[in-house]
Amino acid sequence: MPERIAREWKSLVEQTSTETHRIVYSIVHDYEDELKQRYRAYLEGDPDLASLVGEDANVTAFTDRFLEWMKKLVDPDATSGEIFFSEQDSLGDMMARIGFPPHAVSRSIRKIKLWFLRHLAETDVSRRQLVDAMTFVIGLFDIALEVREASYQKGIASNARVNEAYRLHLLGQNLGMERERQRAALMEWGHGILAAFYQNAASSELPRLWKSEFGLWLNHKAHILFERQPKLELIKQLVNRIDNKLVPALERVSFGDRSQISDAAGRIEEELSAIKFLLNSIFEAHIEVESGRDPLTQLLTRRFMPSVMMREIQLQKTSSAGFCTLLLDIDHFKNINDTHGHKVGDLALRSVAAAITEAVRQTDFVFRYGGEEMLIVLVECDEAMGLQVAEKIRSEIAKLSIPLADGGKFAVTVSIGVAAFKGELDYEGILARADKAVYEAKERGRNRVTLAPES
């Protein structure tokens, strides 16, 4: 923290009498319910914050955290130097993670100061005492806001750097191969929808392109790979047209009318061709750069995780598909290294990473999270599916047979914590729940999957 801000804060606290501290502190506690109601109304009434916070449970959580912050801010015993600055720094960092608008922070502080000043004006104290209390309140909130904004801007800049690094990492992959993979996914969906139509299944609803392998890639990865590429929006418009107009038109076609079938299928094929053309032009406009994967496991590095998690949380505002975070820890990994050596330990890590990659979809994300920890983000995945995939991963890893130099082999097991998205605004909350679930899995004997608690 800059020395100037620290000096200003220290000077403010030293010049404030114990009696002034008591007056300000008593206002928060005497009018706690009123303050809580006003802040909740502010969250619900401000259009920027209402769209961000969303669910009632989030409003309650934000209000409770705000009140806790207020109490600490004016409590003489809780505003000692390191505590004061770390609290404001932590809040600024959290607001950057969830995308809290900076102008909304300034507006809320302004409203709080006015609320305080009105109550101070109604307090039966001397004019000098009133001026001292007002000076303290204004200075305290202004310094807190400055520290918080500095942390916020640092967090925003850090997130921007990580987003760019992750984009460059994706660009470092074989774009030619990725282009052919997505072209093949489009072709497979096109064939699949006609097959579904001719099979005349009991359900008349045909598969949608947004739910295909290509649709998942477009929604979750393409925006990072080709940031600010206007042709992506054109592709999304074409996908929406196919799903919302052309596929429903095919569903309404009489099964025996070959002319109508040919016409409806032809229109879909035309739009798919337009998507392929746009896709080719986007890929050809980009060059390959150096890859940024973890050199041992070839998984994504941990620094790309915030970009993915924040994006998935943002997507939930327009989708109810959900997502799941799986935190995996290799059981007794230290013993593996101590007993068989680090080369064998590295082989175990690579084998586990390969098994995970094989068990998930290409549209999911797998990270090297720590030494022997790996993090999996399953997109468009509910809790039941997350548990199912986690169990599949655990089972496949348990079947691994790691060779030793003397010709022997040994098995490896993992403990997995599953945390489904529960409306959190901050991805740290999801990671904390997944971490608790891993700990519980280990406490219960390892080699198992455990579902994280909701909070």
Side-chain angles (χ1 to χ4, degrees):
M1 188 53 54
E3 186 178 342
R4 174 189 57 78
I5 301 178
R7 284 200 307 269
E8 286 184 19
W9 176 87
K10 184 178 180 181
S11 175
L12 178 69
V13 172
E14 289 178 348
Q15 292 174 13
T16 303
S17 67
T18 303
E19 179 61 19
T20 298
H21 253 131
R22 186 194 63 76
I23 292 170
V24 174
Y25 184 75
S26 65
I27 287 176
V28 172
H29 283 264
D30 292 347
Y31 298 97
E32 179 176 330
D33 290 340
E34 178 190 332
L35 185 59
K36 192 172 184 179
Q37 290 172 9
R38 280 179 173 270
Y39 191 75
R40 185 181 185 91
Y42 168 63
L43 289 178
E44 294 173 334
D46 187 292
D48 293 330
L49 296 181
S51 61
L52 171 69
V53 177
E55 298 179 1
D56 185 68
N58 287 331
V59 175
T60 300
F62 258 85
T63 303
D64 290 344
R65 181 159 187 175
F66 159 75
L67 202 60
E68 179 186 355
W69 171 75
M70 280 288 295
K71 289 179 179 178
K72 287 183 178 179
L73 190 66
V74 299
D75 185 346
D77 297 326
T79 53
S80 60
E82 291 301 321
I83 295 176
F84 174 84
F85 288 117
S86 65
E87 279 282 330
Q88 314 319 313
D89 189 72
S90 175
L91 278 169
D93 188 53
M94 181 271 289
M95 288 176 175
R97 289 198 303 271
I98 67 176
F100 206 94
H103 59 273
V105 178
S106 301
R107 190 160 56 225
S108 66
I109 293 293
R110 184 175 70 249
K111 289 179 178 292
I112 293 167
K113 284 194 293 187
L114 290 174
W115 179 86
F116 249 112
L117 294 179
R118 289 191 186 100
H119 278 289
L120 282 172
E122 296 170 357
T123 306
D124 185 19
V125 295
S126 67
R127 181 178 178 83
R128 180 179 181 81
Q129 187 75 68
L130 179 61
V131 171
D132 287 345
M134 287 181 172
T135 301
F136 175 64
V137 166
I138 293 171
L140 189 65
F141 281 101
D142 285 352
I143 293 173
L145 179 61
E146 184 174 350
V147 175
R148 189 188 295 189
E149 285 185 338
S151 176
Y152 178 90
Q153 293 301 329
K154 183 174 65 177
I156 290 294
S158 176
N159 292 339
R161 287 194 298 270
V162 171
N163 285 337
E164 179 61 15
Y166 183 52
R167 187 182 71 83
L168 292 175
H169 156 71
L170 288 180
L171 285 170
Q173 300 181 43
N174 188 324
L175 291 188
M177 184 178 296
E178 183 65 28
R179 178 180 58 186
E180 294 310 310
R181 183 184 295 121
Q182 298 311 320
R183 285 172 57 89
L186 276 171
M187 185 179 299
E188 181 180 355
W189 180 85
H191 292 161
I193 193 170
L194 288 177
F197 176 81
Y198 281 114
Q199 286 171 0
N200 196 22
S203 172
S204 62
E205 187 170 322
L206 297 174
R208 264 42 179 185
L209 186 52
W210 271 121
K211 293 298 182 181
S212 70
E213 192 74 19
F214 173 78
L216 292 175
W217 174 83
L218 179 64
N219 201 27
H220 295 275
K221 286 192 174 181
H223 75 286
I224 304 174
L225 182 59
F226 305 119
E227 187 180 23
R228 294 185 294 273
Q229 171 54 257
K231 290 180 180 178
L232 275 184
E233 290 305 314
L234 295 177
I235 291 178
K236 290 179 180 180
Q237 290 173 18
L238 290 171
V239 173
N240 285 330
R241 173 172 162 75
I242 289 173
D243 279 358
N244 298 330
K245 293 185 178 180
L246 302 186
V247 173
L250 181 60
E251 290 172 341
R252 294 191 296 269
V253 168
S254 171
F255 189 74
D257 192 332
R258 298 182 63 86
S259 176
Q260 285 190 14
I261 294 172
S262 177
D263 182 63
R267 291 177 182 275
I268 292 175
E269 185 58 38
E270 286 178 5
E271 302 292 45
L272 290 178
S273 296
I275 291 175
K276 290 175 187 176
F277 177 79
L278 290 169
L279 200 62
N280 278 338
S281 64
I282 292 174
F283 271 101
E284 289 170 2
H286 290 73
I287 61 173
E288 294 187 16
V289 296
E290 184 181 356
S291 179
R293 287 186 177 270
D294 173 59
L296 178 62
T297 63
Q298 292 302 299
L299 301 180
L300 294 171
T301 61
R302 178 173 178 165
R303 67 189 180 119
F304 297 136
M305 180 271 296
S307 297
V308 172
M309 295 288 283
M310 287 189 288
R311 166 67 178 174
E312 290 304 315
I313 289 175
Q314 288 296 317
L315 283 174
Q316 301 315 305
K317 295 178 181 178
T318 56
S319 169
S320 59
F323 69 94
C324 278
T325 300
L326 279 54
L327 186 57
L328 176 151
D329 190 280
I330 300 177
D331 296 327
H332 302 297
F333 187 72
K334 184 177 184 302
N335 290 342
I336 294 174
N337 280 332
D338 292 346
T339 304
H340 304 294
H342 287 280
K343 286 187 177 181
V344 174
D346 288 349
L347 178 58
L349 280 169
R350 287 195 296 269
S351 300
V352 168
I356 296 171
T357 304
E358 186 68 25
V360 302
R361 300 164 296 181
Q362 287 190 350
T363 47
D364 297 320
F365 300 87
V366 186
F367 303 89
R368 175 88 181 274
Y369 191 65
E372 64 272 21
E373 288 184 317
M374 297 170 196
L375 185 78
I376 304 110
V377 179
L378 303 174
V379 304
E380 299 202 12
C381 173
D382 60 17
E383 191 172 272
M385 179 180 170
L387 286 169
Q388 183 180 5
V389 174
E391 181 56 35
K392 176 183 177 183
I393 292 171
R394 186 207 62 78
S395 175
E396 291 300 316
I397 292 174
K399 297 175 185 176
L400 294 176
S401 186
I402 311 299
L404 298 171
D406 61 6
K409 296 181 179 180
F410 76 95
V412 61
T413 63
V414 296
S415 299
I416 305 176
V418 179
F421 175 73
K422 297 293 184 182
E424 292 93 344
L425 299 175
D426 187 351
Y427 67 81
E428 289 285 1
I430 305 172
L431 296 179
R433 291 196 295 113
D435 189 61
K436 287 182 181 179
V438 172
Y439 180 80
E440 183 180 343
K442 289 186 172 294
E443 287 289 298
R444 291 169 55 189
R446 294 181 170 85
N447 189 25
R448 65 186 65 237
V449 173
T450 302
L451 182 64
E454 291 196 10
S455 60

